[in-house]
Amino acid sequence: MGYEPCDAEREAAEDAFYEAAYEQVGPQWAEDHGMYFYEDAVREFTAERLQSYYVAHPELAQAAHESLLYAESLRVSFPKAALIFAVTGTELAVKNVFLKPIVYGLVHTEGVAAFVTDLTTQHTGMERFQSLLAEILTQFGGVDLKTFKRADSLKTLWQEIGEVQKARNSVIHRGGPASDDDADLAIAVAGTLLTEILPDVLTKLGLHIHPPMTICGRPHPPEGSH
Ligand SMILES: [Zn+2]
């Protein structure tokens, strides 16, 4: 007579089997699944989603722009303070002005929301998530933040952002020095994001800016007032 496992033993064996199967197959499956959604996300994303976010938030870039103006006003007498506020302007621009509208568009793309949520909560997913955001900004905004270079620079804007953040952190956390060049670079980086790249992205979406920094989607001649 053979041994008959009881229900509990059978369940335990099943659990062990699925656990082992997941270990074998799961990571690969997740990898494939993720890639599927990655392509899906880019395919299903629409310019209208991006556009409507900007139209609904016409003041989106104002805080970043005010930080930049403040940095410029401090530049001559207080280059350290100018560095700090210029980098704040850059960080606000990258997060609020370029990335947030895309994240918003993604979470309203059917089937992609869960994937995005997973990636944002998993450290390992961050790199891929950033690639996804960069890819969408490239396709729909016409600018590749990772490869874009300022007219007079050999480095990418992305590298320069890293450099001025480093200089800023050194000033804030260690009381480190800041050269006039650091302050100038930080101001140039923030200025490029807000007065060069942003207008281009908005133009591509059929939008424009009214000075100092209000986003507008109304169709009217550029010189017109409303
Ligand atoms: Zn307008």
Side-chain angles (χ1 to χ4, degrees):
M1 214 43 200
Y3 168 73
E4 288 291 320
C6 71
D7 285 351
E9 280 170 327
R10 201 176 290 124
E11 271 172 35
E14 272 176 27
D15 285 351
F17 170 79
Y18 285 120
E19 216 164 281
Y22 179 79
E23 290 296 282
Q24 294 288 318
V25 182
Q28 184 57 47
W29 182 84
E31 181 79 6
D32 297 344
H33 206 55
M35 281 315 292
Y36 169 73
F37 275 110
Y38 184 101
E39 287 160 16
D40 225 30
V42 177
R43 196 174 46 241
E44 285 182 26
F45 199 89
T46 64
E48 286 71 27
R49 283 209 179 84
L50 204 48
Q51 190 192 48
S52 66
Y53 189 90
Y54 284 115
V55 169
H57 302 86
E59 330 263 275
L60 191 65
Q62 284 182 1
H65 189 240
E66 277 163 22
S67 287
L68 170 60
L69 295 181
Y70 194 45
E72 284 170 344
S73 75
L74 291 163
R75 165 63 186 85
V76 174
S77 306
F78 307 104
K80 273 190 190 181
L83 169 66
I84 292 167
F85 282 98
V87 175
T88 298
T90 288
E91 289 173 343
L92 288 174
V94 170
K95 280 186 210 157
N96 293 350
V97 182
F98 294 107
L99 300 187
K100 205 171 166 191
I102 295 173
V103 172
Y104 170 86
L106 280 173
V107 298
H108 288 82
T109 300
E110 212 176 328
V112 177
F115 170 60
V116 172
T117 311
D118 284 354
L119 284 188
T120 47
T121 53
Q122 290 167 15
H123 182 66
T124 52
M126 270 321 283
E127 206 159 303
R128 173 172 287 169
F129 183 56
Q130 284 170 354
S131 308
L132 175 61
L133 297 178
E135 169 72 19
I136 286 173
L137 189 60
T138 303
Q139 279 200 25
F140 295 90
V143 58
D144 186 344
L145 275 188
K146 303 273 176 186
T147 60
F148 181 93
K149 284 180 184 163
R150 291 184 306 116
D152 51 355
S153 179
L154 296 172
K155 294 172 182 168
T156 66
L157 187 66
W158 205 250
Q159 286 173 314
E160 291 180 328
I161 290 173
E163 279 178 22
V164 295
Q165 280 179 318
K166 219 173 176 182
R168 185 273 319 266
N169 290 346
S170 156
V171 167
I172 286 188
H173 300 299
R174 293 183 293 281
S179 66
D180 287 357
D181 286 350
D182 291 332
D184 287 340
L185 179 60
I187 287 171
V189 164
T192 299
L193 284 166
L194 290 164
T195 62
E196 195 178 320
I197 294 178
L198 178 60
D200 284 354
V201 169
L202 293 176
T203 299
K204 198 162 195 282
L205 296 169
L207 308 172
H208 54 272
I209 292 169
H210 290 274
M213 192 49 86
T214 302
I215 295 167
C216 175
R218 288 164 57 164
H220 57 79
E223 303 307 316
S225 58
H226 60 278

